Amino acid sequence: MALSDFPRHPLTFGPSPVHPLRRLSEHLGGAQIWAKREDCNAGLAYGGNKTRKLEYLVPDALAQGADTLVSIGGYQSNHTRQVAAVAAHLGLDCVLVQEKWVDWPDALNDRVGNIMLSRIMGAEVRLDAAGFGIGFKESWERALEDVRERGGTPYAIPAGASDHRLGGLGFARWAEEVAVQERELGVFFDTIVVCSVTGSTHAGMIAGFAGQDRPRRVIGIDASAKIQETRDQVERIARATAELIGLGRDLRTDEITVLEGWAGDLYGIPVQSTLDAIRLTGQLEGVIIDPVYEGKSMAGLIDLIRNGDIAKDSTVLYVHLGGQPALNAYAALFTDTRRV
């Protein structure tokens, strides 16, 4: 099957916007940096990268007669917030298992930001003390069974919508969208920088760009602090997605790149480079990024340009995946106005 053969339920406004980050580029004195804004892609609860993935899961859920979307993530999961939004938009019920993925001291961590939005949208939120992990969890299986026991028809959406047969399709299509925008703008992005954790955003891009046969690097910046798990998952999903959309060849090893060095020791805990990247991007561009994902991928981009791993003549596309609502749970980090 080709990508166009898979049913898609539009949930986004259309192509997400692309724009140059001129002041940040000038400040770093290297490559020309642009941003593609998945945080501005939809009108559903602030959008984000998972909304694009859910466009391909929704037709499957409806075809199965599902009446309840069941998913899992951390207390401040951007993914579960987007699942709740899509459920509300479609008139479906929603059950969310929210685990304590981040050992963060903010007393309001389970009451503000993403989790608050999910509650506003009517999702049944189940708090769970389990820690971070991208694999299948017993608590999620139990939530699915509870829906069945009360007469509902659940549709299972794993963390990040990633470990799902269709999880990579949204960003395979995103790669096609980028190629169209490049032609319209008269630019070629030789380097893509994206955050990697549950894997299907990065993996879908890899599969999508592999069919374009242009010399492009797709660099994933690990934010999981479990680098081998992330690399393995990205590779597995990328290869499965490439096969699913009929790429017609095996992915090369050099097409799958996940870099470590900016995640810190634990998922969800910002390090100094994260905070510096958030402030720098905000102060130079007025663009807000979060401390769990985008702050870490931006920190990686900044260092890769400064140390020359991304050449001065490169044109880089930074992928903004959303996630700003989580900043509410990290308010204690930003009590002063400090220039960077």
Side-chain angles (χ1 to χ4, degrees):
M1 294 176 69
L3 180 58
S4 59
D5 293 329
F6 289 90
R8 170 179 164 260
H9 186 99
L11 297 168
T12 54
F13 290 136
S16 55
V18 176
H19 64 97
L21 301 178
R22 294 190 177 92
R23 294 193 68 220
L24 181 61
S25 300
E26 181 180 357
H27 177 82
L28 296 176
Q32 295 303 302
I33 308 166
W34 294 59
K36 187 160 169 62
R37 302 293 298 275
E38 297 308 297
D39 62 321
C40 302
N41 69 352
L44 303 177
Y46 303 108
N49 62 317
K50 308 308 190 301
T51 302
R52 189 182 289 269
K53 300 180 190 183
L54 291 167
E55 290 188 322
Y56 285 95
L57 272 63
V58 162
D60 190 49
L62 297 178
Q64 294 184 27
D67 57 24
T68 308
L69 303 184
V70 181
S71 198
I72 186 170
Y75 287 177
Q76 285 300 322
S77 168
N78 303 305
H79 162 71
T80 52
R81 179 247 308 163
Q82 288 166 78
V83 171
V86 169
H89 176 67
L90 297 173
L92 302 176
D93 290 333
C94 183
V95 178
L96 303 174
V97 178
Q98 313 270 182
E99 297 182 322
K100 193 175 182 180
W101 282 12
V102 182
D103 187 14
W104 187 247
D106 193 301
L108 298 179
N109 191 28
D110 63 351
R111 283 176 276 174
V112 299
N114 284 307
I115 200 167
M116 178 184 70
L117 297 175
S118 294
R119 288 175 172 135
I120 288 172
M121 291 182 287
E124 176 188 332
V125 171
R126 300 183 172 196
L127 297 182
D128 192 287
F132 173 66
I134 61 177
F136 296 124
K137 299 292 190 72
E138 181 183 343
S139 55
W140 181 54
E141 300 286 357
R142 188 164 58 249
L144 289 163
E145 187 57 35
D146 286 349
V147 172
R148 295 186 191 102
E149 288 180 355
R150 62 196 189 201
T153 304
Y155 186 78
I157 303 176
S162 285
D163 208 342
H164 185 289
R165 175 176 172 271
L166 307 175
L169 296 183
F171 277 86
R173 182 174 179 273
W174 182 94
E176 294 182 350
E177 186 176 293
V178 168
V180 172
Q181 290 176 311
E182 286 175 323
R183 290 193 293 272
E184 293 171 347
L185 293 165
V187 67
F188 174 65
F189 301 113
D190 56 77
T191 305
I192 311 289
V193 176
V194 62
C195 189
S196 285
V197 177
T198 60
S200 64
T201 297
H202 183 197
M205 292 178 183
I206 293 168
F209 283 127
Q212 296 181 15
D213 197 28
R214 298 194 71 179
R216 190 193 311 264
R217 286 197 298 169
V218 185
I219 299 173
I221 302 296
D222 174 56
S224 72
K226 295 185 177 183
I227 182 66
Q228 197 55 52
E229 286 186 30
T230 300
R231 282 179 177 150
D232 290 347
Q233 180 129 317
V234 168
E235 179 171 1
R236 179 172 55 78
I237 297 172
R239 294 191 186 282
T241 303
E243 183 176 359
L244 195 62
I245 63 177
L247 178 62
R249 67 170 176 85
D250 291 334
L251 292 173
R252 302 187 309 272
T253 302
D254 68 300
E255 292 176 289
I256 304 169
T257 302
V258 184
L259 302 182
E260 62 181 328
W262 298 276
D265 295 327
L266 294 168
Y267 167 83
I269 305 296
V271 292
Q272 190 58 51
S273 65
T274 315
L275 302 178
D276 290 345
I278 291 171
R279 290 182 184 274
L280 188 66
T281 308
Q283 290 168 16
L284 291 180
E285 297 289 350
V287 173
I288 304 301
I289 56 180
D290 78 284
V292 181
Y293 299 101
E294 307 314 295
K296 296 187 177 185
S297 59
M298 180 58 81
L301 181 151
I302 290 167
D303 285 348
L304 291 170
I305 290 176
R306 283 176 170 164
N307 66 24
D309 284 348
I310 294 176
K312 286 181 177 290
D313 60 354
S314 286
T315 304
V316 181
L317 186 62
Y318 170 75
V319 190
H320 192 322
L321 302 178
Q324 298 98 322
L327 277 164
N328 289 276
Y330 293 82
L333 296 173
F334 303 100
T335 56
D336 63 332
T337 304
R338 186 168 68 252
R339 304 294 299 183
V340 292

